[in-house]
């Protein structure tokens, strides 16, 4: 990805900020949206053409690429077992 700002993403994050969402929430959404845009770019998809199938593929992609989607932060052992 080229990491240039994406208008609709900036608009959404500004909306969250304007409605006094926690800065941590806005940051988390920004990381998730960056991951989503990376996923779309790898597949040559535009966000406006995403359907249920692509969302399911993104969920799998996100699980496989969790370190990349969270800024390479090690969150410790998975406690969901």
């Amino acid at each position: 990805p080229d990491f240039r700002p994406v208008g609709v993403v900036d608009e959404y994050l500004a909306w969250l900020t304007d409605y006094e969402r926690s800065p941590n929430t806005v940051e988390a959404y920004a990381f998730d949206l960056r991951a989503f845009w990376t996923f779309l770019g790898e597949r040559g998809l535009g966000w406006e053409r995403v359907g249920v199938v692509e969302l399911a593929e993104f969920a799998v992609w996100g699980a496989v690429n969790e370190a990349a989607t969270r800024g390479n932060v090690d969150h410790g052992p998975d406690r969901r077992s």
Side-chain angles (χ1 to χ4, degrees):
D2 60 24
F3 297 107
R4 289 183 300 181
V6 176
V8 293
V9 171
D10 283 347
E11 187 177 328
Y12 179 63
L13 295 174
W15 178 84
L16 288 173
T17 301
D18 289 345
Y19 283 92
E20 300 179 1
R21 299 299 183 247
S22 159
N24 292 334
T25 298
V26 176
E27 182 179 17
Y29 279 38
F31 276 115
D32 292 341
L33 287 165
R34 180 182 65 180
F36 185 59
W37 248 255
T38 299
F39 166 82
L40 294 176
E42 287 179 3
R43 284 159 179 73
L45 297 170
W47 69 270
E48 59 282 298
R49 300 198 50 119
V50 172
V52 173
V53 171
E54 291 80 15
L55 290 175
E57 290 173 351
F58 172 65
V60 171
W61 179 90
V64 170
N65 296 290
E66 184 174 5
T69 63
R70 289 289 167 201
N72 295 317
V73 174
D74 182 3
H75 296 283
D78 185 359
R79 296 190 182 115
R80 290 179 282 179
S81 53

